[in-house]
């Protein structure tokens, strides 16, 4: 009686089909063990890590040129003028790292409200250069020696003035911003570099007039 026997091929077929279904289900469920990543996260992994913020104004401008290669020359010039104007007006987003923060803004006001010898640094450098040409044209006149001696005296006075003004700015800044970290040496150097520039060329431009009182 052949029909009473089970066919071995028939027995193997359901088992094989079941094995395939179990494996397929296992593979299908293997990818469901973790949540589907969001689109923003997936794009972030494809793009790589976020670059650090630019440290200088020149680096920021270079990045903008790389991100916007299709900008025309007029558009780039307009953008540079706008960026320059915002930097001159004191916008924190466009300032150099050394000029950012409320402490530096307050110190700039202290420096800009005073007339000092450090403002003669650039004219003194021009005077030294002019004395060099005069001494070359007229070697018998000891012009350069006298000019150099006078410039050394002025330079010494400027250094003393920078130290005194820097210490004053440090004391006032620590009183006004007790929670901020204020370093004396850094502010003395910042005071000298700011005060030794011609007033019209200071970046950002002064917010106070000479002689105007600065709120302590």
């Amino acid at each position: 009686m052949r029909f009473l026997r089970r066919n071995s091929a028939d027995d193997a077929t359901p088992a094989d089909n079941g094995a395939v279904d179990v494996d397929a289900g296992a593979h299908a469920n293997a990818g469901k063990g973790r949540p589907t990543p969001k689109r923003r996260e997936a794009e972030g992994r494809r793009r790589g890590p976020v670059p650090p913020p630019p440290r200088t104004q020149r680096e920021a401008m270079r990045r903008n040129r790389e991100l916007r290669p299709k900008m025309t020359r007029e558009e780039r010039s307009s953008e540079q003028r706008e960026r320059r104007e915002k930097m001159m007006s004191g916008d924190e987003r466009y300032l150099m790292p050394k000029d950012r923060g409320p402490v530096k803004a307050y110190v700039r006001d202290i420096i800009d409200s005073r007339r000092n010898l450090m403002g003669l640094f650039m004219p003194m450098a021009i005077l030294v250069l002019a004395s060099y040409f005069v001494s070359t044209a007229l070697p018998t006149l000891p012009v350069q020696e006298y000019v150099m001696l006078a410039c050394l005296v002025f330079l010494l006075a400027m250094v003393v003035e920078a130290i005194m003004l820097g210490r004053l700015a440090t004391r006032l800044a620590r009183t006004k911003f007790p929670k901020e970290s204020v370093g004396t040496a850094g502010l003395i150097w910042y005071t000298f570099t700011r005060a030794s520039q011609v007033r019209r060329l200071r970046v950002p431009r002064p917010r106070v007039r000479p002689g105007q009182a600065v709120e302590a």
Side-chain angles (χ1 to χ4, degrees), residues 35-211:
T36 304
K38 296 182 180 179
R39 181 178 180 182
R40 183 178 300 175
E41 296 176 356
E43 291 179 354
R45 286 196 295 268
R46 288 198 300 269
R47 295 175 183 173
V50 179
R55 292 174 296 180
T56 61
Q57 189 70 18
R58 182 175 299 178
E59 183 179 355
M61 295 172 62
R62 179 178 60 80
R63 289 189 184 182
N64 288 335
R65 287 196 299 267
E66 293 175 353
L67 294 176
R68 301 179 182 179
K70 296 183 180 180
M71 292 179 62
T72 63
R73 181 178 300 178
E74 290 76 11
E75 291 174 344
R76 287 195 297 268
S77 300
S78 177
E79 185 180 9
Q80 290 176 1
R81 287 194 299 269
E82 183 180 0
R83 183 179 295 274
R84 172 74 178 179
E85 180 59 31
K86 290 182 178 180
M87 182 174 62
M88 293 297 294
S89 64
D91 193 332
E92 290 283 337
R93 298 172 297 175
Y94 298 90
L95 290 178
M96 300 286 288
K98 65 181 183 64
D99 296 322
R100 295 174 185 170
V103 175
K104 294 297 181 63
Y106 180 66
V107 171
R108 286 196 300 270
D109 291 341
I110 296 175
I111 298 171
D112 298 334
S113 65
R114 297 170 176 267
R115 293 185 177 91
N116 46 64
L117 292 176
M118 288 179 285
L120 301 175
F121 182 81
M122 292 300 296
M124 185 181 66
I126 297 175
L127 181 61
V128 171
L129 184 61
S131 67
Y132 173 78
F133 288 109
V134 172
S135 298
T136 303
L138 302 173
T140 57
L141 296 178
V143 176
Q144 190 175 11
E145 287 77 4
Y146 290 113
V147 171
M148 290 297 297
L149 180 61
C151 288
L152 287 176
V153 175
F154 268 101
L155 185 60
L156 180 61
M158 291 177 187
V159 171
V160 174
E161 185 182 42
I163 294 175
M164 295 177 61
L165 184 57
R167 292 176 65 88
L168 174 63
T170 302
R171 185 173 68 253
L172 294 177
R174 286 176 177 171
T175 303
K176 188 174 181 64
F177 304 97
K179 296 183 180 180
E180 296 288 339
S181 177
V182 180
T184 304
L187 282 188
I188 289 176
W189 175 249
Y190 188 75
T191 299
F192 179 78
T193 55
R194 174 80 177 180
S196 60
Q197 296 175 354
V198 179
R199 186 177 179 86
R200 294 181 179 180
L201 302 180
R202 294 176 182 177
V203 180
R205 70 170 59 93
R207 301 185 300 183
V208 297
R209 299 184 304 274

Side-chain angles (χ1 to χ4, degrees), residues 5-60:
R5 297 180 181 178
R6 292 185 178 179
N7 194 345
S8 59
D10 296 338
D11 295 337
T13 302
D16 294 339
N17 292 338
V20 172
D21 294 340
V22 172
D23 294 341
H27 287 294
N29 295 329
K32 301 295 183 178
R34 54 186 175 85
T36 304
K38 296 182 180 179
R39 181 178 180 182
R40 183 178 300 175
E41 296 176 356
E43 291 179 354
R45 286 196 295 268
R46 288 198 300 269
R47 295 175 183 173
V50 179
R55 292 174 296 180
T56 61
Q57 189 70 18
R58 182 175 299 178
E59 183 179 355

